[in-house]
């Protein structure tokens, strides 16, 4: 089973300027919590507790200040710097020592997911020993994303980056599961015309070996893109509506840690008290009753 993951939280957030001139993109608020907490909670819900966070030299200290070493929520966090934007596969080169001889999961730091239900299909991804899985979701705007074409057995037939004439409406959402060969494959890549290593080129290596499969988000599960000001506001409004209606928080890493058994009630109470008497601290204390 995959026990390790990488969160790639690099980039300069140019589409979110001037917000990102003063605040790290991955720490921008999505309703009531930092953006980075959403992919972190996703990994925790998948049972992954050892995580490498890769970010820029400028932003990494702020991320470390927010999340510390992870022990307060029962996980182990490592940190590494990406000195320049060299593309997604660079995460496996930077994280080579962290990965070791293990399979690995990669999720993007702005990947915001609302899980209707974490069902058993993820066990297949987490159990990968040979090959890779790419996760997709239906989109109304396939020309904006990397698009996955599959057969009826979820074998990937083709991958296209922002196609003019898309072969499907399934977008790759930025969640991947790889065997340990991913390090060697990433190191073999050459930069594209953009000057970066491309995740599509990496996935195409697995595709040519007939070792790339796709998994799709189930109905009731929502993938949100927060790469622009409008989509960031849409994500915040979405979570506000759900949390207000249900009275339950989404991707609250402290609550996830408690529900998953990563921390006990005494540890959760300590965290709750650190928030004082604000609504977030009150919510965590309510979980104890």
């Amino acid at each position: 089973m995959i026990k390790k993951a990488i969160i790639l939280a690099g980039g300069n957030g140019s589409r979110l300027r001037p917000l990102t001139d003063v605040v790290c993109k991955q720490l921008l608020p999505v309703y009531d919590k930092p953006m980075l907490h959403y992919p972190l909670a996703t990994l925790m819900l998948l049972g992954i507790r050892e995580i490498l966070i890769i970010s820029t030299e400028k932003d990494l200290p702020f991320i470390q200040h927010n999340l510390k070493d992870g022990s307060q929520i029962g996980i182990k966090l490592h940190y590494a710097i990406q000195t320049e934007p060299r593309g997604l596969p660079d995460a496996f080169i930077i994280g080579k020592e962290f990965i070791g001889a293990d399979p690995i999961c990669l999720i993007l730091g702005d990947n915001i997911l609302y899980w209707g239900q974490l069902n058993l299909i993820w066990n297949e991804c987490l159990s990968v020993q040979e090959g890779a899985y790419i996760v997709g979701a239906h989109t109304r705007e396939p020309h904006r994303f990397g698009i996955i074409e599959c057969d009826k057995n979820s074998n990937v037939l083709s991958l296209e980056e922002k196609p003019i004439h898309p072969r499907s409406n399934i977008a790759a959402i930025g969640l991947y599961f790889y065997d340990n060969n991913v390090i060697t494959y990433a190191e073999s890549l050459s930069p594209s015309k953009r000057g970066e290593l491309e995740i599509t080129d990496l996935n195409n290596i697995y595709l040519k070996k007939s070792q790339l499969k796709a998994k799709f988000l189930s109905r009731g599960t929502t993938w949100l893109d927060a790469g622009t000001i409008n989509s960031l506001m849409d994500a915040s409004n979405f979570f506000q509506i759900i949390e207000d209606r249900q009275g339950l928080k989404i991707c609250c890493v402290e609550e996830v840690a408690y529900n998953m058994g990563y921390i006990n009630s005494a540890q959760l109470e300590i965290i709750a008290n650190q928030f004082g008497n604000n609504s977030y601290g009150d919510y965590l204390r309510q979980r104890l009753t």
Side-chain angles (χ1 to χ4, degrees):
M1 294 289 286
I2 289 181
K3 298 296 184 182
K4 295 178 180 178
I6 297 174
I7 300 177
L8 183 57
N12 55 23
S14 58
R15 290 185 299 164
L16 289 167
R17 295 186 65 194
L19 292 177
T20 47
D21 288 342
V22 291
V23 179
C24 167
K25 172 184 175 181
Q26 283 78 18
L27 294 181
L28 287 171
V30 176
Y31 185 41
D32 61 351
K33 60 190 71 71
M35 185 189 299
L36 188 60
H37 286 210
Y38 291 85
L40 179 60
T42 294
L43 296 177
M44 293 169 66
L45 287 165
L46 289 171
I48 298 174
R49 300 175 67 177
E50 188 167 5
I51 299 160
L52 172 66
I53 298 177
I54 300 175
S55 190
T56 65
E57 186 174 9
K58 176 175 71 75
D59 291 337
L60 198 62
F62 299 104
I63 293 173
Q64 285 183 280
H65 178 75
N66 176 246
L67 296 172
K68 304 178 178 58
D69 65 359
S71 59
Q72 74 280 6
I73 51 174
I75 63 175
K76 187 174 184 179
L77 294 178
H78 306 258
Y79 297 93
I81 293 172
Q82 186 179 45
T83 55
E84 58 182 335
R86 293 191 66 242
L88 273 59
D90 192 39
F92 305 110
I93 300 172
I94 294 171
K96 182 176 181 178
E97 262 188 54
F98 168 77
I99 298 168
D102 299 313
I104 191 71
C105 171
L106 172 68
I107 190 169
L108 304 187
D110 57 359
N111 209 334
I112 301 174
L113 292 166
Y114 169 63
W115 299 93
Q117 182 179 7
L118 269 175
N119 55 37
L120 294 177
I121 68 166
W122 301 107
N123 285 341
E124 188 176 344
C125 298
L126 291 165
S127 300
V128 64
Q129 292 298 320
E130 185 177 71
Y133 286 89
I134 183 172
V135 180
H138 289 273
T139 177
R140 294 176 62 184
E141 300 176 294
H143 60 279
R144 289 184 56 209
F145 305 103
I147 295 300
I148 310 167
E149 180 191 15
C150 292
D151 65 18
K152 62 181 180 180
N153 296 315
S154 298
N155 296 303
V156 178
L157 300 176
S158 71
L159 298 168
E160 300 176 283
E161 190 63 34
K162 299 179 181 177
I164 297 174
H165 303 292
R167 297 177 184 177
S168 82
N169 66 341
I170 304 294
I173 68 167
L175 176 60
Y176 311 91
F177 303 83
Y178 294 102
D179 65 18
N180 193 255
N181 290 320
V182 71
I183 300 171
T184 302
Y185 296 158
E187 291 177 329
S188 73
L189 296 176
S190 298
S192 67
K193 292 179 181 178
R194 297 194 307 145
E196 296 185 7
L197 306 180
E198 302 291 349
I199 194 71
T200 300
D201 292 341
L202 177 63
N203 289 329
N204 272 326
I205 294 176
Y206 284 97
L207 178 58
K208 289 174 183 176
K209 295 176 179 291
S210 300
Q211 292 182 337
L212 183 63
K213 285 199 166 188
K215 289 295 179 184
F216 308 108
L217 299 184
S218 59
R219 295 187 72 157
T221 301
T222 302
W223 166 56
L224 296 159
D225 167 30
T228 66
I229 298 292
N230 286 343
S231 59
L232 182 67
M233 289 299 298
D234 287 343
S236 291
N237 292 334
F238 175 84
F239 286 110
Q240 180 187 17
I241 291 169
I242 291 179
E243 291 190 9
D244 284 353
R245 293 289 177 90
Q246 295 181 345
L248 297 171
K249 290 194 178 299
I250 307 301
C251 289
C252 170
V253 293
E254 298 86 2
E255 181 184 17
V256 170
Y258 180 61
N259 289 342
M260 295 289 288
Y262 299 164
I263 60 174
N264 59 33
S265 57
Q267 291 170 299
L268 183 62
E269 186 173 13
I270 290 171
I271 295 172
N273 290 336
Q274 290 172 347
F275 285 101
N277 293 321
N278 71 5
S279 59
Y280 200 92
D282 290 341
Y283 176 81
L284 294 180
R285 279 184 285 271
Q286 290 169 10
R287 301 307 99 199
L288 298 169
T289 60

